[in-house]
């Protein structure tokens, strides 16, 4: 395992590499406002044991990556998307297997559309289809607005109830409050089928808190999205050339049913529904997901 700070067009990005540099590379792209360490070590280790060279990274304004004064140096989700390519460039990789979780899956889809030569295979986990404007669906759910006909399926009631409460609550005032909120969020994202390991989640939340240069800077991702309402092109997933695997849990609370919509739009895409899985890579499903990725990348 090797950690590196790379320069991505003036922004420092923390990256971490595992495995043999001669093995096929896979780049793990985590979701919005999320640090790269949310890709669990056990999951990464299984991919490495299966013969892959694994790279994960912290998005700008998260974890050990650089933070910005957004008012002075604003950016958009196009910049966050281009960071995927900047990581590949820093490692001198012409192409790699891309694996994206949640909003990271959205970024990976966009890269696969725009830069097909850079993507050996595409794996999308717990994500929404590019062009579906999932953020608008969530905001309508949180504000009680009706969903227009043809929009994506809304989040589960427990997801909506939790984030509605978050919006109405004042910011966390202490380290303990912040960590408790992270745990409460993880409990919802875990779904309703699998046991929730609060002790393990607390250790992860404490690690997230301690390694962040500025924990509040992650909120800049929301500002980047607001500054870039046209980020998602519509009707382009049919252009994806990379062999694609779409993974969704049967108890997905955030984007239920969105995986099937992605798979329907990408030619030849395979859909894997993981029993009992929620939005998170919980311990009980990590091996299933990792083994599916190993089989998929071997075919690509």
């Amino acid at each position: 395992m090797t950690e590196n700070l790379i320069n991505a067009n003036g922004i420092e990005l923390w990256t971490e590499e595992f495995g043999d540099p001669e093995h096929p590379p896979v780049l793990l792209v985590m979701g919005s406002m999320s640090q790269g360490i949310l890709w669990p070590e056990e999951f990464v280790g299984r991919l490495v044991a299966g013969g892959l060279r694994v790279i994960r990274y912290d998005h700008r304004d998260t974890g050990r990556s650089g933070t910005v004064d957004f008012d002075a140096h604003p950016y958009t989700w196009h910049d966050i998307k281009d960071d995927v390519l900047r990581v590949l460039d820093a490692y001198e990789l012409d192409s790699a297997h891309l694996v994206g979780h949640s909003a990271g899956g959205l970024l990976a889809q966009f890269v696969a559309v725009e830069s097909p030569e850079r993507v050996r295979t595409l794996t999308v986990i717990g994500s929404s289809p590019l062009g579906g404007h999932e953020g608008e669906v969530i905001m309508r759910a949180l504000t009680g607005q009706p969903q227009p006909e043809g929009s994506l399926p809304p989040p589960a009631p427990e997801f909506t109830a939790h984030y509605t409460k978050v919006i109405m609550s004042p910011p966390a005032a202490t380290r303990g409050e912040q960590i408790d909120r992270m745990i409460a969020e993880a409990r919802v994202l875990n779904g309703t089928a699998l046991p929730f390991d609060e002790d393990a989640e607390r250790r992860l939340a404490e690690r997230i808190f301690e390694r962040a240069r500025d924990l509040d800077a992650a909120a800049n991702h929301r500002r980047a999205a607001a500054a870039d309402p046209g980020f998602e092109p519509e009707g382009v997933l049919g252009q994806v050339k990379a062999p694609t695997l779409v993974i969704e849990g049967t108890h997905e609370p955030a984007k239920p049913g969105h995986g099937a919509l992605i798979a329907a739009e990408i030619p030849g895409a395979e859909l894997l529904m993981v029993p009992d899985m929620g939005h998170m890579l919980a311990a009980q499903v990590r091996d299933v997901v990792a083994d599916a990725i190993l089989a998929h990348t071997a075919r690509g």
Side-chain angles (χ1 to χ4, degrees):
M1 178 266 289
T2 305
E3 298 183 39
N4 294 296
L5 275 177
I6 67 170
N7 186 308
N9 198 28
I11 298 291
E12 279 189 330
L13 294 180
W14 174 89
T15 68
E16 191 171 32
E17 180 183 16
F18 303 81
D20 190 330
E22 299 302 317
H23 286 174
V26 57
L27 179 60
L28 304 179
V29 186
M30 189 37 73
S32 175
M33 302 173 62
S34 299
Q35 299 183 18
I37 64 168
L38 266 71
W39 295 104
E41 273 76 7
E42 301 87 349
F43 173 82
V44 171
R46 196 168 183 92
L47 295 180
V48 171
L52 292 175
R53 172 192 183 189
V54 180
I55 301 166
R56 62 182 181 178
Y57 71 102
D58 289 340
H59 291 297
R60 59 174 68 198
D61 276 329
T62 73
R64 292 179 179 167
S65 287
T67 62
V68 303
D69 178 342
F70 195 87
D71 292 322
H73 303 285
Y75 59 86
T76 69
W77 266 87
H78 277 88
D79 295 306
I80 299 175
K81 177 259 298 177
D82 289 343
D83 287 342
V84 176
L85 298 176
R86 292 175 181 126
V87 173
L88 295 182
D89 290 343
Y91 280 90
E92 299 183 340
L93 294 172
D94 292 332
S95 64
H97 301 285
L98 282 192
V99 179
H101 180 266
S102 195
L106 200 69
L107 299 172
Q109 291 172 62
F110 205 164
V111 171
V113 168
E114 282 194 333
S115 304
E117 73 284 357
R118 308 298 299 269
V119 184
R120 300 186 188 186
T121 66
L122 173 65
T123 302
V124 180
I125 306 170
S127 191
S128 298
L130 183 68
H133 304 286
E134 177 251 355
E136 297 175 13
V137 173
I138 289 179
M139 285 307 301
R140 285 193 291 265
L142 295 181
T143 55
Q145 301 177 56
Q147 301 289 348
E149 184 177 352
S151 63
L152 297 174
E158 61 270 19
F159 178 97
T160 301
H162 171 77
Y163 285 99
T164 300
K165 181 180 178 181
V166 169
I167 290 173
M168 300 299 293
S169 300
T174 66
R175 176 183 185 276
E177 286 181 8
Q178 184 66 63
I179 288 173
D180 286 344
R181 289 192 181 191
M182 285 191 243
I183 294 170
E185 178 181 53
R187 189 185 299 276
V188 172
L189 296 179
N190 186 69
T192 57
L194 295 175
F196 180 69
D197 189 339
E198 182 169 336
D199 290 339
E201 199 58 43
R202 182 171 296 277
R203 290 191 295 271
L204 177 60
E206 290 172 345
R207 187 179 174 198
I208 289 170
F209 187 95
E210 296 298 338
R211 70 190 298 277
R213 293 193 190 187
D214 178 359
L215 199 64
D216 293 335
N220 286 339
H221 286 199
R222 292 198 188 103
R223 299 183 67 185
D228 195 12
F231 169 71
E232 296 188 52
E234 299 178 8
V236 297
L237 284 181
Q239 301 174 26
V240 173
K241 305 298 184 186
T244 300
L245 172 65
V246 183
I247 300 175
E248 183 177 317
T250 59
H251 287 69
E252 167 64 57
K255 311 163 195 290
H258 294 199
L261 299 176
I262 300 171
E265 290 193 47
I266 297 178
E270 176 187 353
L271 174 64
L272 172 64
M273 297 298 296
V274 179
D276 297 335
M277 178 177 165
H279 190 64
M280 297 168 54
L281 290 171
Q284 299 92 334
V285 302
R286 288 170 192 164
D287 288 355
V288 173
V289 175
D291 288 349
I293 292 170
L294 288 170
H296 179 61
T297 53
R299 292 193 294 266

